[in-house]
Amino acid sequence: MRIHKCYFCSSPIYPGHGMIFVRNDCKVFRFCKSKCHNNFKMRRNPRRTRWTKAFRWSRKKEMTNDNVLHFEKRRHIPIKYDREVMAKTIKAMNRIQQIRVARNNRFYDLRMKDTARIHKAQALRLIRKNLHLVIAPVAVKKMKGFKGSLTHEKWRRAAIKHLHKKQKRGKLCLD
């Protein structure tokens, strides 16, 4: 039994599942579910539909030019059974799977290497924007030279001064 690929989303179609559409020019289209079939009938482009493999490949979210991906080719040549060849094939399949996992992990790490810095910058931006929620009024009142009520801008300046004092003492890291 053969496991086919869905024409629209590239997911595997196991025997007894999915549907086949044959066009008038005898071109065969296989779909894993009605969602893919309906999107095909609506003439949607898989490269612009966010949940398909084609979209992920076109936006560099997944690996496309990896040689390990080309091992799954259709071969219609019957081969005589040989125990040694079968054992080597099974070992090679395991090794290919290990290589594929390692390459996928490396690819993911390269894509996600700057996310920690970006998340930290976003968090600092959010803190600076809502500084009046972060620093307690008691901390601002204890500061020298505090008199009268604070407008939002005065409050903000006082809070930033307080944060910089803490940063100089080494109790706070803003960078």
Side-chain angles (χ1 to χ4, degrees):
M1 292 288 185
R2 178 175 303 284
I3 299 172
H4 297 282
K5 294 255 185 224
C6 177
Y7 178 80
F8 195 78
C9 70
S10 304
S11 65
I13 305 172
Y14 294 97
H17 294 267
M19 60 189 77
I20 300 173
F21 171 68
V22 183
R23 210 164 46 189
N24 286 341
D25 61 352
C26 296
K27 173 96 169 89
V28 177
F29 300 95
R30 296 175 187 275
F31 303 103
C32 59
K33 50 190 172 255
S34 61
K35 178 181 180 180
C36 296
H37 188 219
N38 289 334
N39 278 301
F40 175 78
K41 287 192 292 189
M42 287 190 278
R43 298 178 181 272
R44 287 200 178 139
N45 189 348
R47 283 173 291 181
R48 293 196 188 118
T49 309
R50 295 182 70 88
W51 50 269
T52 62
K53 284 276 190 194
F55 175 86
R56 295 185 62 78
W57 286 335
S58 67
R59 299 294 194 283
K60 306 285 190 269
K61 304 284 185 191
E62 288 190 16
M63 296 171 63
T64 54
N65 57 353
D66 192 8
N67 290 333
V68 177
L69 298 172
H70 300 299
F71 283 123
E72 298 177 12
K73 288 191 176 175
R74 298 173 84 177
R75 293 178 179 90
H76 292 296
I77 304 164
I79 300 172
K80 188 177 179 183
Y81 177 76
D82 185 9
R83 184 173 286 193
E84 291 177 21
V85 172
M86 187 61 69
K88 285 181 182 179
T89 304
I90 291 173
K91 285 181 184 177
M93 287 168 60
N94 290 334
R95 182 68 184 132
I96 288 169
Q97 185 62 29
Q98 291 171 354
I99 292 169
R100 185 178 289 167
V101 167
R103 287 183 181 172
N104 281 337
N105 290 340
R106 210 173 313 128
F107 181 71
Y108 179 81
D109 291 341
L110 282 173
R111 271 183 50 222
M112 297 296 167
K113 98 179 144 183
D114 291 335
T115 54
R117 184 180 50 80
I118 291 168
H119 286 305
K120 188 173 182 179
Q122 287 174 345
L124 286 172
R125 216 175 300 125
L126 184 68
I127 289 172
R128 286 190 185 114
K129 185 178 178 184
N130 301 313
L131 207 51
H132 61 283
L133 299 174
V134 176
I135 296 180
V138 177
V140 177
K141 284 183 182 177
K142 287 182 182 176
M143 292 178 67
K144 294 178 183 175
F146 174 76
K147 294 175 186 168
S149 65
L150 290 176
T151 63
H152 183 71
E153 193 54 41
K154 286 182 183 177
W155 177 274
R156 186 177 171 78
R157 273 191 249 121
I160 289 174
K161 259 187 211 176
H162 179 72
L163 283 177
H164 285 301
K165 279 184 183 177
K166 275 196 162 196
Q167 190 176 9
K168 284 180 185 174
R169 285 186 225 142
K171 294 182 179 178
L172 181 71
C173 179
L174 289 177
D175 297 324

